[in-house]
Amino acid sequence: MTTYQLNSINIGTPMTMIHEGKEIKTSLFKKPVHEALFLHKDHFQGDEQADLINHGGEDKAVCVYPFEHYAHWEKVLNTKLEYGAFGENLTISGMVELDVCLGDTFQIGEAIVQISQPRMPCYKLAVRYNAPQLPHLVQNTGYTGFYFRVLKEGTIERNSTIELLEKHSQKISINDVNHFMYHDKDNLKAIEKILEVEALSSSWRKMFLKRLEE
């Protein structure tokens, strides 16, 4: 049995930031919670999204970020980072982008989840940390995190373990998906292989299909 560590469950509600004189609503500022939370099909109990077009939904029900990357960003940003620093719902250890794959399924507490896509860094990260290049740096490093869709709803506790239920047969890592999205963009054979994974989210599927058409 392969298990991973759940460091923190983080939730938040929309708040307002000022960027270039304009108000921006964001739920990026998530805080750790210690009570058990119910994971619904498209969100954690108590968690809300400010932008339902680009965030949330069943394909992106749970945002996940590896704690392994925190030390790197603390040096880049010259600040101490707390759990939830990247707006993630789950801060985890042991599940970095090189090792987890599209379609991998896991059990966390009562819930069963599946990796659906990498996290695409938002400009609001740059605003939060006053670091304009941060989304670009996240893309370049591949330290993006990823999303879960929920296959089975259920309660998750802070001390729940993350158990790997099934490794997807095609073993296309999140790192690979990021590479072909941002770097080796014209590798059509690789894109076709990614599109064969049914678990790929609809939004990333559309982006890759558009690239093939072009």
Side-chain angles (χ1 to χ4, degrees):
M1 179 189 302
T2 303
T3 59
Y4 305 93
Q5 180 181 340
L6 173 58
N7 299 70
S8 182
I9 305 173
N10 316 297
I11 61 173
T13 54
M15 62 169 289
T16 301
M17 295 189 297
I18 304 298
H19 176 55
E20 296 180 349
K22 296 180 180 180
E23 291 188 352
I24 300 171
K25 285 198 172 182
T26 180
S27 294
L28 191 62
F29 293 82
K30 298 191 187 299
K31 297 294 183 183
V33 293
H34 299 285
E35 67 270 22
L37 294 180
F38 191 82
L39 177 57
H40 297 275
K41 200 71 175 174
D42 60 357
H43 72 287
F44 262 110
Q45 170 191 345
D47 193 51
E48 297 179 20
Q49 301 297 333
D51 176 2
L52 293 176
I53 295 175
N54 296 302
H55 302 284
E58 291 190 6
D59 278 346
K60 295 181 282 187
V62 182
C63 185
V64 184
Y65 202 76
F67 182 67
E68 284 85 347
H69 303 329
Y70 269 53
H72 172 80
W73 297 120
E74 286 178 342
K75 291 178 182 177
V76 171
L77 298 170
N78 193 30
T79 188
K80 177 68 176 173
L81 298 175
E82 305 296 333
Y83 290 144
F86 288 84
E88 74 271 18
N89 297 115
L90 300 180
T91 313
I92 47 87
S93 289
M95 298 173 65
V96 295
E97 294 85 353
L98 276 167
D99 299 330
V100 296
C101 300
L102 277 179
D104 286 358
T105 57
F106 305 86
Q107 179 148 8
I108 313 175
E110 298 175 346
I112 296 177
V113 295
Q114 180 184 53
I115 296 180
S116 59
Q117 67 165 74
R119 188 252 187 94
M120 183 173 281
C122 174
Y123 78 96
K124 293 176 184 178
L125 269 179
V127 178
R128 174 175 180 175
Y129 292 106
N130 192 28
Q133 293 299 312
L134 185 55
H136 184 67
L137 293 174
V138 170
Q139 288 182 5
N140 278 350
T141 56
Y143 297 167
T144 59
F146 46 90
Y147 282 102
F148 287 144
R149 67 165 54 84
V150 179
L151 301 182
K152 178 189 174 187
E153 298 178 326
T155 300
I156 295 178
E157 300 184 48
R158 165 64 183 79
N159 61 353
S160 295
T161 57
I162 304 172
E163 178 185 343
L164 175 66
L165 296 181
E166 184 178 358
K167 195 77 180 171
H168 194 275
S169 59
Q170 288 180 258
K171 296 182 180 178
I172 299 175
S173 74
I174 289 299
N175 188 71
D176 290 336
V177 181
N178 279 326
H179 177 73
F180 296 115
M181 174 61 75
Y182 300 120
H183 304 291
D184 192 4
K185 298 180 180 182
D186 297 324
N187 192 325
L188 302 186
K189 186 174 181 180
I191 291 172
E192 288 171 349
K193 294 297 291 183
I194 292 170
L195 288 168
E196 289 176 4
V197 181
E198 291 184 6
L200 180 67
S201 70
S202 60
S203 59
W204 276 58
R205 182 172 298 279
K206 287 176 184 176
M207 287 190 289
F208 279 127
L209 283 170
K210 184 177 180 181
R211 192 171 295 173
L212 285 182
E213 291 169 2
E214 291 174 349

